[in-house]
Amino acid sequence: MVRAGAGIYYENNVWNNILFDRPARLQQGLFFGATPVCAPTSITVPTSSGETTQITTIDGTPTGTPIASICGAALGSIVGGAPVYQDIATLAATYQALTKQAGAQGNGAYVGNALAVGPNSTGDMLFNPNYKTPGSYQMNIGIQQEVAKNTVLTVDYVRNIGFHFLVGIDENHVGDVANFNPAAASAAVAATVAACGVADVNAAIQACPGLHPGSNGNPAGPVVLSDFAINGLDSLNQGNGGLPNPNFAFQGQNPNFGQSFFLTPTARSSYNALQINVTQRSSHPFKGVVSTDLTASYTYSHFSGTGTSVDNSTGPLASGGDQDFGETALNSRNPNSYFGPNSLDRRQQFSIGLDTDVWKGLHFDTIAHLYSSLPLSLALPTVGSGDIFTSDLIGDGTPGNILPGSNIGSYNRGIKPGNLNNVINNYNSKYVGTLTPAGNAVVSSGALTANQLVQIGGSPQPIFDAPANAIANDILRIWDVGVSYSFKLGEDLTIQPAVHAFNILNVANFDGPGGLGSARQAGVLAGTLNPNPSSPTANTTTAANQGVYRVGLGTGVYAFGAPRQLEFGLKATF
């Protein structure tokens, strides 16, 4: 049998991403918020005048039960004449009532107040006025044939093209070299030299006693890039939290505003797969077995998409590379310039499962998975201050660029541990000691010379070579086993106790997507800018130190690839 299909599907992502749009548009309102109770032992609440006040008791009165008395107390213990869990409910009701009584308050995140909107400034992103609903074209063609008695083979080719997925773009292009302000750059240099207490930049490079005084017999230290960045030789995004400030040299197209991120329907994706599936159902295949149901499947696939901040660790990782989550672009000028293997792409996936009904209601089931590893995007490190001079090789104001010579998802695909150092060495020889577009703009303005900028650390810095025993992302292997037994009580009631062991061999799995494990999927490279990262990086991970990337337990009953877990169940059917 030959079968085929095609369709257009739309994704209603408004309900998720509206969380980031509406808060920036409301000038006043009652907004969702949480306030800590312990250890402050007091709560800040709004008033109708627009000011705030503190309450220290659970009912807000001077003689009420102190908040401090319930902190650390057991929920069932009696404090103030009532159980602590009731005290907590009273405190919550008081907080809600006082907030409602105060009425709508001014919104600090309102774009007209902040004059900025984005991840660095307010945490929000507006919908682009030209919003279009994300969707996908899907098509498949395949064959299905019974190749033996009760055995069916299915082979399908599947293609899915995603379009109009939202990606955050700074439409004010803060930090872009095109928005360089030479006067602000010269003023930042002059302010830094003055703070050092020396005559000029060359003297500050030798010693900057005003900012790095000597101590314990050691001489004064030299001026560094971050000293100039603090005084304005930086992008608003890194130096001022994305908020407008005329003292910064790299602002936006409209200097009256800071970063202005809009969720723009421009990202895309492509999925192509060959899927092979074999199923076999047998009745009484041999003595003692009532029936068996065997399924084996294999998928060879490529899943590519537009690169976003989740690929270089500058954005949240909870999405795990989900293209519908609205991450920010890696290139605000051309968002789709980074397009490659998505962080959810597994090239090969093999699964096999068996369900068996045995004598008198006894049932066994088992399934095993063997998946190839996820890809990794190799990214230049960022430190937060002056990053446009060390890792923005494009000049669009977005630091932490993907390592030149690679693309998103290149590691574990075209680049392997065996040839990683070739790419690193090519980068070090071509870029280290040179200037980024931002650096060239500063030099062209006369604020600093090229030599001075390199001496203070304002140029791309070396990336460390990977060790000989470096490893990339790990494969995924899981074997689950379950057993159940059905007891029939009368004509209408069946009781079925069951026990399942997930990952029964307790195999250690590493490098899961998103929140399932620490995010080596965001493959920031270690170098002189970050010589001692808190966790192993893409070019420093070995079998000996990869433990931090083991897939954890997650939440709920079971997380895919987690350490062994047992599940006990009891089912009643009537």
Side-chain angles (χ1 to χ4, degrees):
M1 180 179 68
V2 178
R3 58 186 188 178
I8 303 176
Y9 304 89
Y10 292 93
E11 171 65 41
N12 188 358
N13 64 353
V14 173
W15 302 114
N16 179 41
N17 291 316
I18 196 70
L19 295 173
F20 309 113
D21 175 83
R22 190 167 183 266
R25 297 179 183 271
L26 297 178
Q27 190 169 2
Q28 286 189 316
L30 289 172
F31 302 99
F32 171 79
T35 185
V37 176
C38 305
T41 67
S42 64
I43 291 179
T44 300
V45 294
T47 65
S48 57
S49 66
E51 303 296 326
T52 60
T53 187
Q54 299 282 323
I55 62 171
T56 59
T57 61
I58 65 172
D59 60 3
T61 66
T63 58
T65 301
I67 294 174
S69 65
I70 67 174
C71 289
L75 287 177
S77 61
I78 305 298
V79 175
V84 168
Y85 64 84
Q86 290 186 9
D87 293 333
I88 294 173
T90 300
L91 178 58
T94 300
Y95 178 69
Q96 294 167 2
L98 291 174
T99 300
K100 184 176 180 180
Q101 178 181 318
Q105 302 291 303
N107 178 16
Y110 170 57
V111 68
N113 293 332
L115 299 180
V117 59
N120 301 63
S121 53
T122 64
D124 301 314
M125 287 189 281
L126 297 168
F127 275 120
N128 190 301
N130 297 318
Y131 174 84
K132 296 179 181 179
T133 302
S136 66
Y137 302 110
Q138 180 159 318
M139 58 214 79
N140 66 277
I141 185 169
I143 60 171
Q144 188 175 67
Q145 178 67 42
E146 186 175 28
V147 295
K149 184 179 180 180
N150 298 321
T151 303
V152 177
L153 169 67
T154 303
V155 179
D156 288 294
Y157 168 72
V158 178
R159 179 171 172 80
N160 183 291
I161 302 297
F163 55 88
H164 296 326
F165 287 103
L166 299 181
V167 61
I169 298 176
D170 182 4
E171 298 293 355
N172 200 27
H173 296 280
V174 165
D176 193 301
V177 67
N179 302 317
F180 174 60
N181 184 331
S186 296
V189 172
T192 305
V193 170
C196 285
V198 296
D200 54 31
V201 173
N202 288 329
I205 291 174
Q206 296 302 314
C208 179
L211 298 176
H212 304 282
S215 61
N216 300 323
N218 296 315
V223 71
V224 294
L225 178 62
S226 59
D227 299 325
F228 290 93
I230 289 172
N231 285 312
L233 193 65
D234 203 350
S235 164
L236 288 176
N237 285 336
Q238 283 68 52
N240 201 50
L243 299 171
N245 187 323
N247 296 324
F248 279 81
F250 293 88
Q251 303 179 26
Q253 288 178 336
N254 185 338
N256 295 316
F257 286 84
Q259 60 178 202
S260 302
F261 274 85
F262 286 81
L263 289 168
T264 304
T266 191
R268 57 191 179 87
S269 66
S270 172
Y271 176 80
N272 293 278
L274 174 66
Q275 300 176 345
I276 302 173
N277 189 70
V278 178
T279 60
Q280 182 186 64
R281 295 177 175 85
S282 300
S283 177
H284 300 284
F286 42 85
K287 187 176 181 180
V289 176
V290 178
S291 65
T292 61
D293 189 336
L294 175 68
T295 300
S297 65
Y298 171 77
T299 300
Y300 180 78
S301 64
H302 286 209
F303 181 27
S304 298
T306 299
T308 66
S309 55
V310 77
D311 292 300
N312 69 347
S313 193
T314 58
L317 293 164
S319 69
D322 184 350
Q323 62 195 33
D324 196 36
F325 200 77
E327 308 287 3
T328 57
L330 294 179
N331 184 343
S332 284
R333 296 175 182 171
N334 183 4
N336 286 310
S337 62
Y338 287 113
F339 189 90
N342 184 281
S343 56
L344 298 178
D345 172 54
R346 291 191 188 273
R347 291 291 167 86
Q348 302 190 67
Q349 301 179 67
F350 175 74
S351 299
I352 183 168
L354 175 65
D355 285 348
T356 303
D357 285 317
V358 194
W359 176 74
K360 290 188 176 179
L362 184 63
H363 180 84
F364 291 100
D365 59 87
T366 183
I367 188 169
H369 306 279
L370 182 63
Y371 295 171
S372 62
S373 59
L374 294 167
L376 199 63
S377 298
L378 303 173
L380 300 178
T382 58
V383 294
S385 182
D387 286 336
I388 56 173
F389 298 105
T390 60
S391 62
D392 179 14
L393 307 180
I394 298 172
D396 72 320
T398 306
N401 287 175
I402 299 298
L403 181 70
S406 70
N407 197 354
I408 64 163
S410 289
Y411 195 40
N412 248 17
R413 297 300 181 260
I415 301 174
K416 306 284 186 179
N419 64 349
L420 174 59
N421 284 340
N422 293 338
V423 183
I424 291 175
N425 292 334
N426 287 339
Y427 167 78
N428 287 339
S429 62
K430 183 176 180 180
Y431 290 93
V432 172
T434 65
L435 300 180
T436 65
N440 281 320
V442 170
V443 172
S444 296
S445 73
L448 290 171
T449 68
N451 186 55
Q452 289 170 341
L453 195 54
V454 170
Q455 285 184 289
I456 65 173
S459 64
Q461 300 298 302
I463 300 297
F464 295 154
D465 279 347
N469 59 342
I471 59 174
N473 281 355
D474 198 14
I475 63 173
L476 180 74
R477 46 239 186 256
I478 307 169
W479 182 25
D480 304 332
V481 176
V483 61
S484 61
Y485 193 87
S486 296
F487 296 92
K488 192 168 182 62
L489 304 178
E491 294 185 0
D492 301 322
L493 177 63
T494 300
I495 302 297
Q496 185 185 65
V499 59
H500 286 84
F502 301 106
N503 191 5
I504 189 171
L505 299 181
N506 202 31
V507 175
N509 289 291
F510 300 88
D511 312 305
L516 293 180
S518 296
R520 185 153 55 102
Q521 69 179 49
V524 175
L525 295 160
T528 56
L529 280 177
N530 59 337
N532 298 299
S534 57
S535 299
T537 62
N539 59 328
T540 62
T541 303
T542 65
N545 64 15
Q546 70 170 340
V548 65
Y549 300 117
R550 182 172 181 178
V551 176
L553 294 176
T555 59
V557 176
Y558 177 56
F560 204 57
R564 179 174 50 228
Q565 297 176 65
L566 298 178
E567 176 188 77
F568 298 91
L570 182 65
K571 179 181 178 181
T573 304
F574 53 90

